[in-house]
Amino acid sequence: MPELPEVETTLRAIKKFQRQQLIEIKVNNRNLRWKVAKSIEIDTKNQRILNLKRRAKYIIFELESLSLLLHLGMSGSLRIAKRDENYFLKHDHIEFIFENEKIIYNDPRRFGSLHITRDINNHNLIRFLGPEPLSKSFNNKYLFNLCTNSKTNIKTLLMNQKNVVGIGNIYASEALFLSKINPVKQSNKLTIEECKRLTASSKKILNSAIKCGGTTLKDFYSADGNAGYFKIKLNVYGREGLDCSKCNSKIKKVTVNNRATFYCSQCQS
Ligand SMILES: [Zn+2]
């Protein structure tokens, strides 16, 4: 599934379309996670893109009189092609046509979505989201305050999008390992020092994944449109039964809130 770093890399790859005029949108299949509005073609015709940005895992196209909200779902990806290119792939659902090029949205599993809205900040998918993990608002005091009032385990708290956005299952396990915190530790038992380590590790791991993404940008333009998953070094995720990289005990796997969770019981308490 595309996580925050993959979405950020995707955004950077299409950033050059900012200020360009969106000539038209072509929808080949409206049946995404939510049905694409029938008015989208008419409402977006010949509008300039004022801004292209990311919020959580949404890519936002700010047009002159409205905004588009794109989510890549489980298997969505974008690729750039020449405007007159006639080569299509199965599952190419939407085309954003510009003067010389087009952006094609491909999504085999169709869990992605495209919404149109005149009030982006109050959109139901946006308004309840917590702060961005890479912003200054996500800091030790903020996290400690959330933890103090919560009896849920820290991994579940970290993955709740109302608390902070974009920390998916892999990154949560890895950030907790770097912070030496057990994923099932009750949130209100965390110290401010642990919250400091956890916010710093979360930022560190997301930033290194985004940095790796920069090197895969070339793939983004390839015909198959497959951005691939970033090759960051995983210390615990998917490593059940293997040696911990810091001590010599074995990595354990447990299920937390229905999600596979990996940790080292020696290093994390
Ligand atoms: Zn260990």
Side-chain angles (χ1 to χ4, degrees), residues 177 236 243-251 263-268:
F177 175 79
V236 286
D243 289 341
C244 171
S245 55
K246 299 261 157 64
C247 70
N248 277 323
S249 53
K250 306 285 183 205
I251 299 300
Y263 72 106
C264 172
S265 57
Q266 281 295 318
C267 296
Q268 295 172 259

Side-chain angles (χ1 to χ4, degrees), residues 120-135:
I120 187 72
N121 294 324
N122 281 314
H123 194 277
N124 272 337
L125 295 170
I126 295 290
R127 60 195 284 203
F128 300 112
L129 295 174
E132 287 289 324
L134 297 173
S135 72

